[in-house]
Amino acid sequence: MRFLRELQRDFMEAVYGGDESGFARKAVADEFSGRERLRLYRHIAFGNMTDALRAAYPVVEQLVGKEFFDGAAWEFIRRYPSRSGDLHDFGAEFAGFLSRFPSAAILEYLPDVARLEWACHKVFFAADRDAFPLDRLAQVPQSRYGHLRFKLNPACRLVRSRFPIRRIWEIHQPDYRGERTVDLNEGGADLLVRRRERVIGLFPLGPGEWDFLSALGAEQTFSKACGGVLIKNPGFDVAGRLRHFVADAILVDFYDERKRRGKSKSA
Amino acid sequence: MNCASPKFDPIPAKAGIGLRAPHYREILATLPAAGWFEVHSENFFGDGGQPLHFLEQIRSHYPIALHGVGLSLGSAGPLDRGHLARIKSLAGRFQPGFVSEHLSWAGVDGRYSNCLLPLPYTEESLKHVCRRVERVQEFLGRRILIENVSSYLQFKQSTVPEWEFIAAVAARAGCGILLDVNNIYVSAVNHGFDPSLYLQAIPRGAVEEIHLAGFEAQGDILVDTHSRPVYEDVWELYKRAVLRFGITPTLIEWDADIPPLAVLLEEAWRANAVMEGEYAFSA
């Protein structure tokens, strides 16, 4: 299979690297039209990937315009080739890329809007989860509460920005019909991105809530998450907020690390 | 939460339509007279949410086929087991009448182009593709169909024409053929061969499904854009295909500049009319 592998490597190099002449000479039946045809394949490949980015980042495209978006997308594709046969996986690094893309530097909030859109993209395809297993929680002895670790609903993500990205996102939604101005000094946003049934919404979190949910979402133990939030936000109602996250299925599961380890050892 | 899987529903020998997101709601509201729907498998690789929700509902009214665009069957690199596992899980859940993939490759060594690239038609490629098709069929526990792609270049190392190659893959690996009549036409114009030769080289019993779509001309080359109605010459070629292969499940594909559902239903109606007319004529 040496020949096939070499041919495919060279083909990909011609598509991504942009130098098609060597490959056209070596492998394409009609060398003259071959170069042109390889360019056509590059155009189709880059076009497919650009369309995938366009689908995941519609607000970014509206903010910068189609021409700029297409230019940024082609540069991005060259630097971050697709790593999956499923185009829905493509574009995870786009926010990071935009933060280092000199032509976009004037729009300081653009990378954060892109991060928000990627969170929405992931949430769109995430699993539908049942309610929290309250019965199982009721069987946990009180002495183990501090050791519990919780699981964030897969259709929930947390996004933080020092810019009003919720407002920016909302006024660029297709069904938005209101005032289209944004005050960039209005302040940042700590957001819970969440899909309920099939609708995605952005919900602002208070400072304590953000710290607490971030810690729980990172699967810290309950006692560590409480300690962290209470140092920064004395008087924060951890029990009340936990009840809310559980009742609202923002948290959907829990486990006891020590008990789980013990189980797997005995298995 | 999980509904019981639907029973296996064979694809009827009628025209079907490629299911695309802009039409989900209208299809459920009107239950149009389409024989069946085909979906791109990768559009349903997520774990939940809207796509699976709608597919489940549409599946409860129609047979469906799964059509993959990203497995990269012809790649010299290893098979993507994760990708394959997702196809298997979808097939288990939705019981499709067909599972199909393209006779092409999309990338190698972990880098993808996400388009359908042609293979060099050599003995080495043939052995490799046959082995891959066998592995895929073994993993999925079912026969698959492989589809001919449109191509814009040919490799000087090819030793046989595409039609001999695809017929040989079907014979050796024991898979079926999804014959895309538009792709035959596009490649015939691009490479200057007679499309009838292609049809004649494909064994009668091997074709289980036919695809029809529209292309666009870019300079002197035809590009398989799936953005236009089926071209008149392609309808003519389709008639010849129906005469040769008999009444065969036929899909109308449209992926860019997607028109109202009514336009697709009209194209499907025309495919049914060809099948009824040509079959009656040939009988």
Side-chain angles (χ1 to χ4, degrees), chain A residues 16 36 92 112 123 161 200 215 243:
Chain A
Y16 272 108
E36 197 185 309
D112 285 358
V123 157
S161 172
I200 293 171
R243 266 198 302 277

Side-chain angles (χ1 to χ4, degrees), chain A residues 1-17 23-31 33-34 36-38 40-46 48-49 78 81-88 90 123-130 154 195 197-199, chain B residues 1 25 42-54 57 69-71 74-78 80 83 86 105-120 122 124-125 128 131 150-157 190-191 218 220-223:
Chain A
M1 224 180 31
R2 229 185 61 207
F3 168 71
L4 184 63
R5 184 181 284 272
E6 266 174 35
L7 177 134
Q8 292 185 343
R9 278 185 183 155
D10 292 349
F11 198 131
M12 291 299 285
E13 204 43 52
V15 166
Y16 272 108
F23 182 66
R25 203 163 39 244
K26 205 161 84 184
V28 180
D30 174 353
E31 188 201 329
S33 68
E36 197 185 309
R37 306 285 168 103
L38 276 166
L40 173 62
Y41 272 113
R42 180 185 314 129
H43 191 82
I44 294 170
F46 278 43
N48 288 346
M49 287 182 254
R78 261 192 285 271
S82 169
R83 297 286 175 196
S84 166
D86 176 7
L87 269 174
H88 299 103
F90 182 65
V123 157
F124 181 83
F125 294 103
D128 307 291
R129 286 297 299 267
D130 290 333
R195 196 191 78 226
E197 299 288 322
R198 288 171 303 284
V199 181
Chain B
M1 186 90 167
R25 286 187 171 82
E42 289 79 3
N43 287 345
F44 301 89
F45 272 12
D47 297 318
Q50 187 168 299
L52 289 165
H53 165 82
F54 281 112
Q57 291 192 54
V69 295
L71 183 62
S75 169
D80 182 342
H83 197 103
R86 291 203 175 256
W105 62 284
V108 72
D109 300 333
R111 192 159 64 158
Y112 285 78
S113 69
N114 299 102
C115 57
L116 305 166
L117 303 172
L119 283 160
T122 62
E124 181 199 41
S125 300
H128 178 60
R131 216 169 28 237
S150 286
S151 67
Y152 314 122
L153 57 76
Q154 292 178 299
F155 295 111
K156 58 173 81 157
Q157 290 82 359
N190 290 341
H191 307 313
Q218 292 184 11
D220 60 349
I221 194 161
L222 303 187
V223 180

Side-chain angles (χ1 to χ4, degrees), chain B residues 161-185:
Chain B
E162 184 182 295
W163 47 89
E164 277 181 35
F165 189 88
I166 193 169
V169 174
R172 284 200 207 174
C175 59
I177 292 177
L178 191 180
L179 197 66
D180 190 315
V181 173
N182 178 63
N183 288 348
I184 293 177
Y185 182 82

Side-chain angles (χ1 to χ4, degrees), chain A residues 20-234:
Chain A
E20 63 278 324
S21 55
F23 182 66
R25 203 163 39 244
K26 205 161 84 184
V28 180
D30 174 353
E31 188 201 329
F32 176 72
S33 68
R35 265 178 269 170
E36 197 185 309
R37 306 285 168 103
L38 276 166
R39 279 199 289 275
L40 173 62
Y41 272 113
R42 180 185 314 129
H43 191 82
I44 294 170
F46 278 43
N48 288 346
M49 287 182 254
T50 301
D51 286 346
L53 290 177
R54 207 188 303 292
Y57 298 99
V59 176
V60 170
E61 186 182 15
Q62 289 175 66
L63 288 168
V64 299
K66 183 177 185 302
E67 203 178 317
F68 186 98
F69 187 88
D70 287 354
W74 279 54
E75 191 55 37
F76 173 75
I77 294 162
R78 261 192 285 271
R79 290 197 211 167
Y80 297 90
S82 169
R83 297 286 175 196
S84 166
D86 176 7
L87 269 174
H88 299 103
D89 294 337
F90 182 65
E93 305 92 345
F94 197 49
F97 164 82
L98 288 174
S99 70
R100 294 182 296 275
F101 191 50
S103 324
I106 192 166
L107 299 177
E108 279 184 292
Y109 49 86
L110 198 63
D112 285 358
V113 173
R115 277 197 303 121
L116 175 60
E117 292 208 278
W118 188 253
C120 292
H121 178 73
K122 298 305 280 184
V123 157
F124 181 83
F125 294 103
D128 307 291
R129 286 297 299 267
D130 290 333
F132 192 93
L134 280 172
D135 295 356
R136 197 151 56 76
L137 187 65
Q139 290 162 21
V140 174
Q142 209 164 355
S143 61
R144 296 301 307 163
Y145 284 178
H147 301 274
L148 298 184
R149 295 168 199 265
F150 292 86
K151 293 242 183 202
L152 196 61
N153 188 328
C156 286
R157 295 227 165 185
L158 296 165
V159 178
R160 163 173 263 181
S161 172
R162 62 189 174 94
F163 299 103
I165 55 171
R166 177 175 178 233
R167 170 86 183 141
I168 295 171
W169 186 85
E170 277 176 352
I171 68 168
H172 289 94
Q173 294 310 299
D175 49 359
Y176 179 79
R177 299 279 176 273
E179 179 64 41
R180 288 199 169 267
T181 52
V182 180
D183 175 8
L184 285 178
N185 299 318
E186 116 182 12
D190 288 345
L191 297 175
L192 171 67
V193 179
R194 145 161 233 191
R195 196 191 78 226
R196 281 177 202 273
E197 299 288 322
R198 288 171 303 284
V199 181
I200 293 171
L202 311 184
F203 303 93
L205 298 172
E209 271 188 321
W210 168 272
D211 292 334
F212 193 40
L213 196 53
S214 301
L216 293 175
E219 298 182 30
Q220 291 182 7
T221 60
F222 184 57
S223 63
K224 191 173 173 199
C226 290
V229 69
L230 286 169
I231 287 173
K232 279 172 73 182
N233 311 272

